[in-house]
Amino acid sequence: MPTYAAIFVQGQRITMHRPFARIVVDEETWLTVATALAGGQAVLLGLWGDAQAVHMAMLEDGANEPVVTTFMCADGRFPSVGRLHAPAIRPERAIHDLFGLDPMGLPDERPWLDHGRWDIGHPLAASGPSARASEPAAYPFLVAEGDGVHQIPVGPVHAGIIEPGHFRFNAAGETVVRLEERLGYTHKGIESLMAGASLDQAARLAGRTSGDSTVAYAYAFALAVEAALGIEISARAIYLRALMAELERLANHLGDIGAICNDAAFALMLAHCGVLRERVLRVAAKAFGHRLMMDCIIPGGVSVDLAPAGVSDIRHLLATIRGVFPALVELYDETASLQDRTVGTGIVPPSLARQFGAGGYIGRASGRAFDTRRHLAYPPYDTLTFDVPVLNEGDVNARVWIRIREVEQSLSLIDQILDRLPADGLLRTEVGGAGERREGLALVEGFRGDVLVSVRLSGEGSIERCHLRDPSWFQWPLLEAAIKGNIVADFPLCNKSFNCSYSGHDL
Amino acid sequence: MRKLLFQGLAKPPLTEAGPTDGEIAALAAELDHLARSRLGRSLAIREVDAGSCNGCELEINALGNAFYDLERFGLRFVASPRHADVLLVTGPVTHNMREALLRTYDATPNPKWVVAAGTCALGEGVFAESYACQKGGVSAVIAVDLYIPGCPPTPTDLLKGLLALITKNTGPSGQVR
Ligand code: SF4
């Protein structure tokens, strides 16, 4: 029996959850889903905790709607999905840290986000947080043994201007035998701050989950809330949101292309791409009042309007990028010393990208064509024309090329959006409580992949529970695989080509 | 590549044509002069992300682009705290990053300055009330010489802040400790 059918037949549907189905399932069905994930018939989109329950969002092969399954943890335990399907291991470790729920059979029981430094334990547990008594214990890293294998610990503070995290290399000479990541340093307790927050507060928080994806997060949060409340927003607001999202993608991809080349010791590209990125941010600041467009998307619509001058500024920006970018692409393509570093480096095999449901340029550089703008299309993308570029090599070079192609697609999308932008329309539709509990789920394509937001609202419209899932959750583990067999010196280059979020992952 | 390099030679530098060039040029001259007169050399900055959302890092990184070109002000980012005069700290200081921040501070030789950049680092902002974050931000962990507010502060805000640091009359906190 196909997985979805099993879920719908065996489970109990929760009607207040929109627009996708949420089904409460028994242990057997929960494990049916886990088995389908492990067998590759479905992709894991998210796995998160709740008071006395765990939720798992998944997408079955060939389906165009995700489904959320819920397992009620009557005795504080649930059958581990990670035991069968590796991508679930880190989310389950995080669930244990935050909720105190016990994933039965989880192969890795080390804490993940909790480094033993908070005053409390299990901050989101149904019965309230527990007191913390003991000192933080040492974190047992996995060991690699063999002749001449040595460890190189790096971080959490790194040499560049980047986010904190720890990397433990096991190397034989210069060759990496194993890389183990330890994350959680930037854990800010966002999901606990969400509980009880007003919609406005929550939108601000959502937009600060990962600053480089602030538009994508605010967008996904707004869509989830609107789905829960059944709110329609104006066409102008719909197009303005997409405009911001594409500007964000453009700025980040341009920055990344330059930064990756810089890590391959080719600074000229960084200089040129840095200029283009800065031009995008300046136009965003002029058009929407904030360089990163923070707090511009809110539940019900947008908080700022685009002045007519903004439209011509953006058109001018597009012309500038179109004038400069092709020469940069040519430069990238024709510089042998650069290609020498990026081709064949840090390979993610398509099978792994598929298993982990890797999104964004990481998935698409390894043959996984998934893009929420296309496969779970939300307006206005359901009517816009664009390609989803895909490559199969899975190396640093492929991840650069996907970004290059996506820059071109974003330029075209912005043109289409400006052409169709309605001259006027309500900026913000009234939002408020529905008088009853409501739930919503949304996925939005951020620059690094699909951002998932799940919300539960009280009758008054405040947040009861909000989970935000960064694409990095399913990309970080692939970096460990990609670096294996490469030399230590290529790590920064690989890492930059991934550009995973620490903050978005650590939450 | 040759085409691009020649273009670079033919075109005026962006640093002079930038929209805020007047302001920045004035800052540059003053900062350069002061940095030299006080330190006799350039200012070396070590950035520490103490749990930011990464928005602040994006803008700090932007300081290096051709519009702002931080290095012409005698300011440069260094890879190790051992080479730094200034610690530029962002983020609310998560409990998980507290020790790393302290150790980085201790590894920075005296005299040293600490600049807290961004609303979070000031102990305000959206994460301030969390169980996972230090109450009071950076100054609750190490002595702060200067705050640069903003969420995130723009590159121009950051430049202005660094200028203010040099013009401040008091010595660096690292000296008196
Ligand atoms: S101040 Fe704003 S941009 Fe900076 S880390 Fe805090 S939330 Fe992010």
Side-chain angles (χ1 to χ4, degrees):
Chain A
M1 185 157 51
T3 329
Y4 273 11
I7 299 168
F8 280 91
V9 171
Q10 306 292 339
Q12 172 207 348
R13 181 159 183 166
I14 304 297
T15 49
M16 63 183 169
H17 188 273
R18 289 161 211 193
F20 311 115
R22 177 162 85 81
I23 317 261
V24 178
V25 298
D26 58 11
E27 181 166 341
E28 191 190 327
T29 316
W30 179 262
L31 287 171
T32 305
V33 176
T35 310
L37 293 170
Q41 292 102 282
V43 163
L44 181 65
L45 294 177
L47 179 58
W48 65 98
D50 207 332
Q52 300 296 356
V54 280
H55 308 288
M56 169 160 57
M58 49 90 86
L59 185 65
E60 194 174 14
D61 258 9
N64 54 6
E65 284 204 3
V67 170
V68 181
T69 50
T70 299
F71 180 81
M72 302 303 297
C73 310
D75 53 359
R77 308 194 299 172
F78 64 98
S80 165
V81 178
R83 187 171 65 84
L84 300 167
H85 187 54
I89 293 177
R90 286 181 181 178
E92 288 185 344
R93 289 167 71 185
I95 289 171
H96 181 260
D97 288 352
L98 299 180
F99 292 87
L101 299 169
D102 195 9
M104 285 179 294
L106 178 64
D108 186 345
E109 293 188 336
R110 293 173 298 170
W112 182 237
L113 299 178
D114 184 351
H115 291 192
R117 293 173 186 273
W118 312 330
D119 296 337
I120 52 173
H122 310 311
L124 291 165
S127 53
S130 52
R132 165 95 61 195
S134 58
E135 283 290 296
Y139 187 79
F141 283 96
L142 306 174
V143 285
E145 282 173 1
D147 245 7
V149 174
H150 58 282
Q151 284 201 349
I152 311 172
V154 178
V157 177
H158 302 296
I161 305 170
I162 53 171
E163 300 179 77
H166 183 87
F167 300 108
R168 185 65 60 103
F169 296 94
N170 282 284
E174 266 296 288
T175 308
V176 180
V177 177
R178 165 187 257 157
L179 162 66
E180 190 182 355
E181 296 153 358
R182 188 185 186 200
L183 302 176
Y185 289 93
T186 74
H187 177 74
K188 293 180 273 295
I190 292 179
E191 297 197 350
S192 116
L193 291 166
M194 278 281 185
S198 70
L199 278 184
D200 288 345
Q201 283 171 319
R204 290 175 59 81
L205 265 170
R208 285 160 180 77
T209 309
S210 183
D212 51 16
S213 308
T214 180
V215 171
Y217 270 98
Y219 199 164
F221 177 76
L223 289 182
V225 169
E226 288 151 15
L229 298 174
I231 290 174
E232 299 260 331
I233 70 164
S234 76
R236 185 168 171 87
I238 286 176
Y239 278 95
L240 286 179
R241 284 177 173 183
L243 178 57
M244 294 177 201
E246 294 311 316
L247 285 171
E248 180 174 89
R249 192 178 334 273
L250 209 51
N252 283 315
H253 279 347
L254 288 168
D256 277 0
I257 293 168
I260 296 168
C261 294
N262 193 52
D263 272 358
F266 197 71
L268 182 64
M269 221 37 191
L270 176 68
H272 282 283
C273 289
V275 165
L276 291 182
R277 176 184 156 86
E278 177 69 19
R279 291 196 192 282
V280 177
L281 298 189
R282 288 183 178 196
V283 166
K286 255 180 94 187
F288 297 111
H290 191 285
R291 285 164 54 91
L292 306 178
M293 296 169 284
M294 267 180 180
D295 306 323
C296 291
I297 295 182
I298 49 175
V302 292
S303 63
V304 278
D305 203 359
L306 176 66
V311 175
S312 54
D313 286 342
I314 296 171
R315 295 255 192 223
H316 187 71
L317 171 73
L318 296 183
T320 308
I321 298 177
R322 285 194 170 109
V324 178
F325 194 61
L328 296 177
V329 175
E330 201 184 309
L331 176 63
Y332 177 79
D333 201 18
E334 291 180 354
T335 305
S337 62
L338 187 52
Q339 302 262 325
D340 188 44
R341 295 288 308 279
T342 60
V343 175
T345 307
I347 295 176
V348 178
S351 58
L352 265 187
R354 198 188 134 75
Q355 185 193 357
F356 277 76
Y361 42 77
I362 296 173
R364 295 198 273 274
S366 294
R368 185 168 183 262
F370 184 76
D371 184 324
T372 42
R373 292 174 297 171
R374 165 67 44 77
H375 295 96
L376 305 170
Y378 41 95
Y381 291 102
D382 49 355
T383 58
L384 300 175
T385 311
F386 63 100
D387 290 335
V388 178
V390 183
L391 291 168
N392 288 311
E393 287 77 5
D395 55 1
V396 173
N397 181 49
R399 288 187 283 277
V400 172
W401 276 108
I402 296 290
R403 285 174 169 97
I404 289 173
R405 294 288 167 245
E406 290 190 9
V407 164
E408 294 161 0
Q409 293 302 316
S410 284
L411 294 175
S412 147
L413 279 167
I414 294 173
D415 261 336
Q416 295 174 49
I417 291 166
L418 291 179
D419 287 345
R420 297 178 193 197
L421 183 67
D424 44 32
L426 202 59
L427 284 186
R428 185 180 197 183
T429 307
E430 205 55 50
V431 279
E436 58 172 10
R437 242 190 202 170
R438 291 286 183 87
E439 298 178 353
L441 182 94
L443 281 115
V444 158
E445 192 69 18
F447 86 100
R448 68 163 64 82
D450 44 304
V451 168
L452 176 144
V453 173
S454 155
V455 290
R456 183 166 71 237
L457 303 173
S458 73
E460 292 77 50
S462 64
I463 308 287
E464 279 188 6
R465 172 89 183 97
C466 178
H467 171 69
L468 311 119
R469 196 271 296 143
D470 197 88
S472 303
W473 275 99
F474 302 124
Q475 297 169 336
W476 272 120
L478 300 181
L479 179 62
E480 293 184 343
I483 189 65
K484 206 170 150 192
N486 289 252
I487 57 171
V488 177
D490 274 342
F491 178 70
L493 182 59
C494 289
N495 192 22
K496 194 71 84 175
S497 76
F498 271 65
N499 191 14
C500 293
S501 176
Y502 297 71
S503 181
H505 167 283
D506 294 351
L507 228 60
Chain B
M1 166 136 72
R2 198 177 283 165
K3 200 162 67 189
L4 276 168
L5 290 175
F6 277 127
Q7 263 178 18
L9 287 177
K11 282 189 190 161
L14 283 170
T15 36
E16 288 177 15
T20 51
D21 58 349
E23 196 175 14
I24 292 176
L27 288 177
E30 199 176 346
L31 187 53
D32 195 34
H33 169 71
L34 285 165
R36 273 178 223 290
S37 67
R38 295 210 171 206
L39 293 163
R41 58 192 166 97
S42 58
L43 260 192
I45 307 168
R46 174 67 263 224
E47 201 264 353
V48 183
D49 176 340
S52 105
C53 79
N54 80 31
C56 283
E57 276 59 42
L58 292 176
E59 294 298 56
I60 292 170
N61 263 314
L63 283 172
N65 75 35
F67 286 93
Y68 304 104
D69 189 17
L70 186 82
E71 299 220 356
R72 75 193 151 122
F73 304 149
L75 298 170
R76 71 203 154 87
F77 285 100
V78 292
S80 164
R82 304 224 183 260
H83 304 155
D85 310 303
V86 177
L87 282 186
L88 177 60
V89 189
T90 63
V93 188
T94 61
H95 287 311
N96 289 351
M97 269 307 286
R98 189 173 187 277
E99 184 187 338
L101 174 61
L102 266 174
R103 286 217 214 167
T104 309
Y105 180 83
D106 288 340
T108 311
N110 286 328
K112 57 192 164 196
W113 284 264
V114 174
V115 179
T119 314
C120 287
L122 273 59
E124 298 159 14
V126 292
F127 310 118
E129 296 306 315
S130 170
Y131 64 86
C133 300
Q134 176 72 48
K135 298 274 172 297
V138 177
S139 67
V141 183
I142 51 179
V144 171
D145 296 285
L146 178 84
Y147 299 99
I148 306 176
C151 182
T154 64
T156 314
D157 293 337
L158 290 162
L159 268 177
K160 282 187 195 163
L162 292 169
L163 170 69
L165 173 73
I166 309 279
T167 52
K168 235 175 85 167
N169 285 322
T170 51
S173 59
Q175 228 162 23
V176 287
R177 289 184 135 222

